[in-house]
Amino acid sequence: MEQSNRSALEGLDPRAVLEQLERVLESSLFRNSKRYPAMLRYVVEHTLDGKTRVLKERTVAVEVFGRSPDYDPSTDPVVRISAAEVRRRLAQYYQEAAHASEIRIDLPVGSYVPEFQPAPARLPDVLPEEPLPAPLPRRSQTWILPATALAGIVGLAIVWMVWRGRPSELDDFWAPVVVLRGDVLVCVGVAGVPARSAQTESTGAGRRAQITWPDTLTMARLTGFLQAKGAAVQFCREDQATFSDFQVMPAVLIGGLNDEWALRLMENMRFQFQRDGPIFWIADRDHPESRDWRIEVPDISDAGRLPLKRDYAVVSRVHNPRTGRITVTVAGLWGTGTIAGGKFLTEAAYLREAAKKLPAGWQKRNLQFVLGTEVIEGNPGPPQVLASAVW
């Protein structure tokens, strides 16, 4: 057995760990899945057998998920995404009080070698009795009024602190995404607008595997925001993402007409992107004749600058019925719109103002916002909410 394995099992019987593994796999968090139990069983059993050196991404992909020996993790992140979901489900399992006294199995971030912790020592069922303190001598009741006043002041201070500490509208928006402080997938579109209408199939012509500067800025802004809330951010490019990536964790999609996943998600929503030659616009299903939220994109050189005066974006948060996960979209008609959308989702003042016009209970419902922003010398101004939909 390897040294690291002896350390991991110090004080533990491997048979007890295997019994705990079976308890975990029989739980509702694992028993209805094939992928995650297979991965957890593989890494635990190999660790107990002292074979931790083979627990590499490529080996797991081949032996657990049936990938070919020439598996390329940069184009198929199935192992990383599955590991993230296993970690999340293990964390949920041990959050339940019924499992607090069991051996703990963890899969550290950045590793496929599990760690094991002994069950915590149980406290005695009956605590030893201690003699009761002698009763205090009776005192004058003159202290009651000052004490009552002090209690009232303290109570008001507590109410004030609770009010000050209550979640903001921005916290409410992101709560379904970061509620478990687990993994969040950030998927970014690649440069080059597809030569197509938003309703037709893309040929991929004109696409370049590069991330635009506005999308990079928005990705950095959102990543810092999510990490500050305790989320572990995973990254992928839109052209490398697979449908299964969005089935294992909440996702944030950055980009508009350059992000196929964002376009697919918006197909059944009220606000959608449309294109007719150089004219891009946000279509409103309730007012299909309107093209008020539009920009014109003439042919420009790589060194040129689009002379926009206004830009528009769609920001959404939906429970995606196709993936079963929450998906947030930040999508501008042009890059300046995407930057404005990123500001809207990371600065509390904007959602605080927008929430005043939302119906009660919006915090737990699907949302879409249409944003507009003034563009000055290529830089977006503050985002303004032009329309919203809640369902």
Side-chain angles (χ1 to χ4, degrees):
M1 187 176 294
E2 297 176 5
Q3 178 64 38
S4 60
N5 195 37
R6 286 200 301 269
S7 299
L9 285 172
E10 186 174 355
L12 286 174
D13 184 343
R15 290 172 297 182
V17 175
L18 287 174
E19 291 174 359
Q20 177 61 22
L21 173 65
E22 296 304 324
R23 277 192 289 269
V24 171
L25 296 183
E26 282 298 315
S27 71
S28 60
L29 291 164
F30 284 91
R31 65 171 176 257
N32 296 321
S33 169
K34 293 182 179 179
R35 172 184 294 185
Y36 311 125
M39 180 172 185
L40 182 58
R41 182 183 296 279
Y42 180 86
V43 298
V44 169
E45 291 181 349
H46 276 67
T47 299
L48 294 178
D49 290 341
K51 300 176 181 178
T52 56
R53 292 183 181 178
V54 304
L55 296 180
K56 307 296 183 183
E57 184 172 6
R58 187 183 304 277
T59 307
V60 174
V62 173
E63 297 196 8
V64 177
F65 301 116
R67 297 304 195 260
S68 62
D70 60 351
Y71 164 78
D72 182 0
S74 66
T75 59
D76 181 6
V78 62
V79 179
R80 280 169 284 162
I81 291 175
S82 298
E85 183 64 13
V86 167
R87 293 184 191 104
R88 187 182 72 84
R89 296 188 184 208
L90 284 171
Q92 283 184 272
Y93 178 86
Y94 287 108
Q95 281 177 354
E96 298 180 14
H99 306 306
S101 61
E102 298 175 1
I103 293 173
R104 188 177 183 95
I105 301 174
D106 287 312
L107 190 62
V109 175
S111 172
Y112 302 116
V113 179
E115 295 179 352
F116 314 114
Q117 299 178 27
R122 291 189 57 183
L123 294 175
D125 294 331
V126 180
L127 295 177
E129 294 186 4
E130 294 188 9
L132 294 175
L136 295 174
R138 294 192 60 173
R139 297 186 180 181
S140 169
Q141 301 299 308
T142 56
W143 57 271
I144 292 179
L145 287 178
T148 303
L150 179 60
I153 295 172
V154 171
L156 289 174
I158 291 173
V159 170
W160 181 83
M161 287 188 291
V162 169
W163 180 84
R164 290 282 294 176
R166 66 186 299 182
S168 68
E169 292 78 7
L170 188 61
D171 295 327
D172 290 335
F173 180 94
W174 285 105
V177 179
V178 300
V179 62
L180 296 176
R181 299 174 68 87
D183 295 87
V184 177
L185 180 65
V186 173
C187 181
V188 188
V190 294
V193 176
R196 67 177 179 95
S197 161
Q199 295 288 350
T200 61
E201 291 298 323
S202 170
T203 62
R207 304 295 297 274
R208 295 173 295 174
Q210 300 175 356
I211 300 175
T212 66
W213 180 243
D215 287 357
T216 301
L217 288 178
T218 305
M219 177 178 67
R221 173 185 287 269
L222 288 170
T223 298
F225 179 84
L226 291 168
Q227 289 176 335
K229 289 187 170 294
V233 178
Q234 310 284 334
F235 299 97
C236 73
R237 274 189 353 215
E238 167 265 338
D239 59 329
Q240 296 179 340
T242 64
F243 181 73
S244 62
D245 296 341
F246 301 102
Q247 293 180 293
V248 297
M249 67 184 77
V252 179
L253 307 179
I254 299 174
L257 286 165
N258 64 332
D259 192 324
E260 291 286 345
W261 295 106
L263 294 176
R264 292 183 192 181
L265 181 66
M266 294 168 65
E267 284 177 355
N268 298 317
M269 297 186 192
R270 176 178 168 182
F271 303 115
Q272 306 174 12
F273 283 171
Q274 296 288 340
R275 178 186 180 190
D276 185 4
I279 306 298
F280 298 171
W281 74 97
I282 297 172
D284 184 348
R285 187 179 58 200
D286 292 355
H287 304 281
E289 74 286 350
S290 175
R291 294 192 180 185
D292 291 343
W293 308 317
R294 71 181 184 273
I295 64 172
E296 183 172 357
V297 183
D299 292 333
I300 56 176
S301 67
D302 290 340
R305 173 177 288 178
L306 190 65
L308 287 180
K309 294 184 179 180
R310 296 277 298 175
D311 199 0
Y312 303 92
V314 172
V315 166
S316 63
R317 186 202 68 194
V318 300
H319 183 271
N320 190 338
R322 298 178 181 177
T323 65
R325 298 287 181 178
I326 295 291
T327 304
V328 173
T329 304
V330 188
L333 285 177
W334 202 250
T336 43
T338 301
I339 294 174
K343 290 182 180 179
F344 181 77
L345 288 183
T346 54
E347 298 183 22
Y350 297 123
L351 259 170
R352 184 184 308 122
E353 188 64 27
K356 294 177 181 178
K357 299 181 180 180
L358 297 179
W362 66 266
Q363 295 89 340
K364 297 183 179 180
R365 298 166 68 183
N366 295 326
L367 299 167
Q368 258 195 316
F369 296 97
V370 176
L371 308 178
T373 184
E374 184 179 9
V375 181
I376 301 175
E377 296 183 353
N379 298 307
Q384 301 172 322
V385 177
L386 305 179
S388 62
V390 182
W391 69 100

